[in-house]
């Protein structure tokens, strides 16, 4: 639109009384500030241009430092298998090997696992990861690429098998010990020590009267068992078989507890927007988008560890109630019954002993655990208490299935006494554990904070995941975005001329700032996040359209310079109202939502802030550079 009217110089000057700066100009400081924000945004958005390489990460369990010999050996193994290693390096406490393709990555993992680990010693953790290609000068500034969700660029996918058979078997074993204690307390004579036959408990008695009395007691105390009379070695007896309903109840409990513990462990690792969900009766799916330290994640996720606090053998204890273990090369006999376990820990911190400087773990128990610990220790002052570290480790063995040889995972249980000390006084809710290495103390504190796993589990499938939309759909989506964005830019230039050019530059910088802020915050971009970006881009265009429409209206009654100034100022309030209300909605979504909803909310909130900056200040600065401080007879808008 062209304005042919000459500006009213008198009215213009009177409106600008006291202003010595030319009309529609910023101070040098304001221009410099806007340019600085755009420059910093460009720097911190730049790492997203560089796509990461597929890589293999090798970590030795319990090791704190990378091994150059291991690095060279791993390179030789991969090269000997016909796989191309682009580069290798030692990063933190692991070895990183870059390969040329995703296929080489998968083959390389299997090759390294078989070559580095034996059946008896499987201490090497080999994980799939993505190695950053960000230039060093950007990394030195703290710039890093934005994390992308599995639905965009993939990540690490784990399929975990919960060992329900062992979990149910251990539960039956514990309850059989409780049954034994009950029979002893009620002076009911039984025969034999080994009652377990898979998940069935078989108890023989000296007399029918004892059997009938035991049946009544056990049916009242232990629910979920089908109790039947039977002859056991020609003696009257009872067979207790766990019911299907009880098994399903235990499975649900185990899965729910493991899901919660996994979520806590993933949060400790700092993974953004993970997906942790149940699959069927005994499996869990875990997706970790954009994870960098996959070996560390695999080591923590695949670890089933717990603590047990036990008394050393007391006088009069029966041998079935005792267990002999080694502590610093000396056998120590412990009670099988626990005082408390790691499942009763509410907080655990890895610290250092102020006297010795050695690692320690400070433990806080829940109410029940603290009461139990106090009750037992106050009655056993002068006796010894041991801390037992139990861990289930995953092993693999070759098994022929359907005529084909496959690697099948299984678990073995290791027990280690990490501390034996004399009880000097009654303990309460807080105490400390010493005698650990630094890595052990750190991992133990993390695992206890996250919560104990109810049932052991192991990884049955691991892979890096490409975009769930598929490469073809991603390419089409990228093309459609480019076409749509180009059409918007073209429309703005054709319809608003120079003002449209200024809006286009500001719009482009808005996208750069969104990417930069999300990269700095470590947010994960998913498909819902892209929807948030599209929405904020639309809002940014809408703000510019609103400003330009106000300028066109002002041109009917004012000179061009006054119209430009009034257009920006009078459009400010409606823009603020619309964006602030939407920002509040984004905060509410972030507070009550989870997963993809939070991703959308974060992107929307960031986009609102950047779009307001670019529309109000960025576009204004560019328009001022084009038109400000000049004598204008007309403008095209």
């Amino acid at each position: 639109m062209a304005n042919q009217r000459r500006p009213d110089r008198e009215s213009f000057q009177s409106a600008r009384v006291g202003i010595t700066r030319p009309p529609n100009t910023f101070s040098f400081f304001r221009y410099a500030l806007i340019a600085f924000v755009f420059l910093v945004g460009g720097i911190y958005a730049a790492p997203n241009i560089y796509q990461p390489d597929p890589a293999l990460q090798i970590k030795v369990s319990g090791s704190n430092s990378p091994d150059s010999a291991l690095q060279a050996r791993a390179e030789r193994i991969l090269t000997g298998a016909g796989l191309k290693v682009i580069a290798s390096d030692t990063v933190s406490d692991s070895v990183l090997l870059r390969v040329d393709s995703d296929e080489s990555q998968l083959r390389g993992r299997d090759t390294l696992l078989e070559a580095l680990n034996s059946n008896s010693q499987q201490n090497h953790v080999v994980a799939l990861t993505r190695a950053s290609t960000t230039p060093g000068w950007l990394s030195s500034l703290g710039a890093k690429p934005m994390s992308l969700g599995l639905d965009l660029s993939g990540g690490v996918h784990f399929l975990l098998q919960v060992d329900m058979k062992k979990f149910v078997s251990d539960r039956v074993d514990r309850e059989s010990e409780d049954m034994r204690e009950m029979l002893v307390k009620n002076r009911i004579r039984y025969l034999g020590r080994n009652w377990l036959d898979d998940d069935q408990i078989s108890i023989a008695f000296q007399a029918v009267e004892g059997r009938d009395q035991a049946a009544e007691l056990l049916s009242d105390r232990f629910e979920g068992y089908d109790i039947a009379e039977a002859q056991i070695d020609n003696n009257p007896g009872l067979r207790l078989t766990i019911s299907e309903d009880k098994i399903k109840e235990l499975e649900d409990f185990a899965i729910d507890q493991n899901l919660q513990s996994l979520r806590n462990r993933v949060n400790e690792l700092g993974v953004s927007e993970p997906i942790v969900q149940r699959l069927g009766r005994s499996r869990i799916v875990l997706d970790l988008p954009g994870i960098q330290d996959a070996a560390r994640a695999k080591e923590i996720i695949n670890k089933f560890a717990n603590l047990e606090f036990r008394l050393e053998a007391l006088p009069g204890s029966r041998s079935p109630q005792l267990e002999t273990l080694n502590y610093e090369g000396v056998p120590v006999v412990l009670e099988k019954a626990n005082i408390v376990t790691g499942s009763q820990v509410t907080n655990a911190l890895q610290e250092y002993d102020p006297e010795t400087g050695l690692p320690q773990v400070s433990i806080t128990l829940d109410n029940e655990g603290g009461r139990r610990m106090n009750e037992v220790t106050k009655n056993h002052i002068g006796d010894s208490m041991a801390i037992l570290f139990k861990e289930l480790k995953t092993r693999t063995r070759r098994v022929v299935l359907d005529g084909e040889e496959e690697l099948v995972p299984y678990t073995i249980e290791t027990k280690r006494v990490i501390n034996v000390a004399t009880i000097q006084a009654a303990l309460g809710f807080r105490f400390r554990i010493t005698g650990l290495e630094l890595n052990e103390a750190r991992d133990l504190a993390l695992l206890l904070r996250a919560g104990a796993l109810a049932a052991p589990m192991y990884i049955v499938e691991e892979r890096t995941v490409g975009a769930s939309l598929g490469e073809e759909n991603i390419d089409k989506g990228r093309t459609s975005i480019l076409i749509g964005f180009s059409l918007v830019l073209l429309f703005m230039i054709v319809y608003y001329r120079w003002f449209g050019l200024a809006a286009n530059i500001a719009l482009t910088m808005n996208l750069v700032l969104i990417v930069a802020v999300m990269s700095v915050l470590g947010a994960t971009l998913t498909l819902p996040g892209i929807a948030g970006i599209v929405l904020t881009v639309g809002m940014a265009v809408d703000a510019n359209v609103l400003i330009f429409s106000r300028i066109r209206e002002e041109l009917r009654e004012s000179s061009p310079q006054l119209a430009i100034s009034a257009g920006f100022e009078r459009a400010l309030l409606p823009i603020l109202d619309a964006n602030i209300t939407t920002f509040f909605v984004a905060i509410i979504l972030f507070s009550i939502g989870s997963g993809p909803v939070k991703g959308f909310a974060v992107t929307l909130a960031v986009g609102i802030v950047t779009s307001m900056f670019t529309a109000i200040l960025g576009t204004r600065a560019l328009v001022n550079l084009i038109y400000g401080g000049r004598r204008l007879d007309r403008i095209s808008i």
Side-chain angles (χ1 to χ4, degrees), residues 365 369-371 373-374 377 425-431:
L365 298 175
R371 181 191 57 77
M373 178 66 76
N374 182 263
T377 54
L427 300 177
F429 295 88
R430 296 181 179 86
F431 51 91

Side-chain angles (χ1 to χ4, degrees), residues 168-239:
V168 173
S169 177
D170 289 346
R171 183 64 173 261
V172 173
D173 188 14
R174 288 197 301 270
E175 293 192 342
S176 71
E177 289 298 322
D178 294 340
M179 294 176 188
R180 196 188 305 271
E181 290 292 330
M182 178 176 285
L183 296 180
V184 171
K185 286 181 181 179
N186 287 273
R187 300 181 180 278
I188 300 175
R189 295 186 177 275
Y190 58 85
L191 300 173
R193 294 180 177 180
N194 187 12
W195 293 356
L196 292 179
D197 182 14
D198 289 333
D199 296 336
Q200 191 177 71
I201 301 173
S202 300
I203 312 173
F205 298 90
Q206 288 185 346
V208 174
E209 293 78 8
R211 180 195 65 188
D212 295 340
Q213 188 179 356
E216 183 177 353
L217 283 172
L218 296 178
S219 61
D220 291 339
R221 173 67 174 79
F222 297 93
E223 298 179 354
Y225 285 90
D226 297 326
I227 303 177
E229 296 179 359
Q231 285 294 117
I232 301 174
D233 297 331
N234 297 321
N235 293 299
L238 295 174
R239 279 203 172 89

Side-chain angles (χ1 to χ4, degrees), residues 156-160 284-286 288 298 301 459 461-462:
V156 180
H157 165 87
F158 294 113
L159 180 62
L160 300 161
I284 294 175
V285 174
L286 177 62
L288 305 177
K298 185 176 180 180
I301 290 164
I459 296 172
E461 180 180 303
E462 174 201 356

Side-chain angles (χ1 to χ4, degrees), residues 390-513:
K390 296 176 66 175
E391 183 177 3
L392 280 176
K393 296 184 177 181
T394 304
R395 297 288 183 261
T396 56
R397 58 188 168 204
R398 293 191 175 275
V399 177
V400 178
L401 297 175
D402 299 329
E404 295 184 4
E405 193 177 63
E406 295 184 11
L407 285 174
V408 177
Y410 66 99
T411 57
I412 61 171
E413 184 178 69
T414 62
K415 298 179 181 180
R416 181 165 61 91
V417 178
I418 60 177
N419 190 279
V420 177
T422 302
I423 301 173
Q424 304 289 348
L427 300 177
F429 295 88
R430 296 181 179 86
F431 51 91
R432 61 181 183 169
I433 300 172
T434 57
L436 296 169
E437 298 292 335
L438 178 60
N439 276 354
E440 291 178 324
R442 186 185 299 118
D443 288 351
L444 180 60
L446 186 154
L447 294 174
L448 292 176
R449 280 198 307 274
L453 292 170
M457 59 188 181
Y458 46 84
I459 296 172
V460 294
E461 180 180 303
E462 174 201 356
R463 67 174 185 270
T464 51
V465 182
S468 59
L469 293 177
E471 289 297 328
E472 183 179 354
N473 287 340
I474 290 177
D475 291 338
K476 289 181 178 179
R478 186 184 297 114
T479 302
S480 63
I481 291 174
L482 289 175
I483 293 174
F485 192 67
S486 300
L487 290 175
V488 170
L489 298 182
L490 180 63
F491 170 79
M492 294 295 288
I493 288 180
V494 171
Y495 196 73
Y496 292 111
R497 311 295 175 83
W498 288 104
F499 287 88
L501 176 62
N504 287 344
I505 296 173
L507 193 63
T508 303
M509 292 311 302
N510 180 40
L511 289 175
V512 172
L513 289 179

Side-chain angles (χ1 to χ4, degrees), residues 226-368:
D226 297 326
I227 303 177
E229 296 179 359
Q231 285 294 117
I232 301 174
D233 297 331
N234 297 321
N235 293 299
L238 295 174
R239 279 203 172 89
L240 292 83
T241 306
I242 190 168
S243 66
E244 284 297 322
D245 290 341
K246 179 71 172 180
I247 291 176
K248 188 175 184 306
E249 179 185 334
L250 291 175
E251 288 177 346
D252 291 340
F253 167 77
I255 289 290
D256 290 342
Q257 177 71 17
N258 282 17
L259 285 173
Q260 184 59 46
S261 179
L262 275 177
R263 292 188 182 101
N264 293 338
R265 292 184 184 192
V266 169
N267 289 338
E268 291 277 353
L269 292 169
V271 180
S272 303
E273 296 190 35
I275 296 175
V276 186
Q277 61 188 18
R278 182 174 183 173
L279 180 65
R281 290 186 62 173
S282 61
R283 289 190 169 185
I284 294 175
V285 174
L286 177 62
D287 291 336
L288 305 177
I291 191 168
Q292 294 299 315
D293 195 349
R296 171 69 173 162
K298 185 176 180 180
E299 186 180 25
I300 291 299
I301 290 164
N302 203 30
K303 180 173 286 188
F304 179 83
N306 205 351
L307 287 181
E308 291 184 358
F309 298 82
R310 300 185 187 180
L311 289 173
E312 199 169 358
L314 300 172
S317 297
R318 295 177 294 110
S319 56
Q321 299 173 327
L322 302 177
E323 184 175 11
T324 302
L325 298 166
N326 285 325
Y327 175 60
E328 296 183 347
V330 178
V332 58
V333 183
L334 305 179
E335 298 278 343
K336 282 187 177 180
N338 299 318
I339 303 173
V340 294
T341 67
S343 60
Q344 293 166 300
V345 172
T346 59
N347 194 19
L349 298 174
Q350 186 270 309
E351 298 174 339
Y352 293 91
D353 190 326
E355 296 180 359
T356 65
L358 296 175
Q360 67 178 31
V361 178
S362 297
I363 299 290
T364 303
L365 298 175
D366 61 15
N367 289 332
E368 182 182 350

Side-chain angles (χ1 to χ4, degrees), residues 6-65:
R6 302 279 299 178
D8 185 346
R9 182 173 300 181
E10 299 250 356
S11 61
F12 178 79
Q13 290 177 345
S14 63
R16 313 291 287 181
V17 171
I19 303 297
T20 57
R21 192 168 54 244
N24 289 317
T25 57
F26 286 159
S27 65
F28 174 78
F29 174 76
R30 186 175 292 188
Y31 283 124
L33 177 62
I34 296 171
F36 176 76
V37 171
F38 286 161
L39 176 62
V40 171
I43 290 174
Y44 283 91
N48 294 279
I49 300 173
Y50 303 93
Q51 295 299 312
D53 292 330
L56 293 162
Q57 193 173 15
I58 309 172
K59 177 178 171 60
V60 181
S61 299
S63 175
N64 229 356
S65 59

